[in-house]
Amino acid sequence: MQLQAKNLSQRLVLGGVAALLCATLPIQAQDRVPVEAVRAINMARTRAVKINGGLEAYRPASCMFATADPDNPCMVSNDSDGFIFRFLGGPPAWQERDLPPTLETEIKISPDGREVEELIYNGPPR
């Protein structure tokens, strides 16, 4: 019984310390990525994979998988005309193996993120 009481009191003290720490730490709100932007990046990535031979032959840059990043470096514009993405790509594992990219894709997606409006460029890195 004494051992149980000691464990309980230790948990209460530790729990109180954790609560105190949480209460004193500043709370930071994360910027939310609009659903249209998430759809747009997924649409752009999917189209690039398709036109460049599928996942067996091609992988887009890792930034094209960062759907929750409000400052995604692959998104070059986001306005009332839609989204424009510019990104590199190459054979599977090109980034992990530190190989140079073999393709660059620039693509415009509709403002609602549901349609490819224009394939601006898809070729050797410029």
Side-chain angles (χ1 to χ4, degrees):
M1 182 72 154
Q2 229 176 5
L3 183 59
Q4 287 177 333
K6 185 177 178 183
N7 286 340
L8 179 60
S9 65
Q10 285 176 340
R11 282 186 272 162
L12 288 173
V13 169
L14 291 175
V17 170
L20 181 62
L21 284 173
C22 289
T24 59
L25 293 174
I27 297 174
Q28 297 177 348
Q30 288 185 312
D31 292 333
R32 291 190 155 227
V33 176
V35 67
E36 295 83 7
V38 175
R39 273 193 220 119
I41 197 169
N42 288 337
M43 177 64 67
R45 183 183 66 242
T46 300
R47 180 59 61 94
V49 167
K50 185 176 181 178
I51 63 176
N52 289 306
L55 288 173
E56 294 159 358
Y58 170 84
R59 293 289 194 291
S62 60
C63 59
M64 289 304 290
F65 295 91
T67 58
D69 184 355
D71 299 316
N72 192 316
C74 287
M75 187 185 327
V76 295
S77 74
N78 169 10
D79 56 29
S80 61
D81 289 334
F83 300 87
I84 295 181
F85 296 92
R86 184 181 310 125
F87 53 95
L88 299 170
W94 68 276
Q95 280 188 302
E96 295 81 0
R97 294 180 181 157
D98 205 24
L99 298 173
T102 56
L103 288 165
E104 179 180 339
T105 302
E106 188 170 349
I107 191 166
K108 182 177 182 184
I109 306 297
S110 64
D112 65 3
R114 296 180 188 271
E115 296 179 47
V116 174
E117 290 192 344
E118 180 183 1
L119 179 61
I120 299 167
Y121 181 79
N122 191 65
R126 299 179 278 189

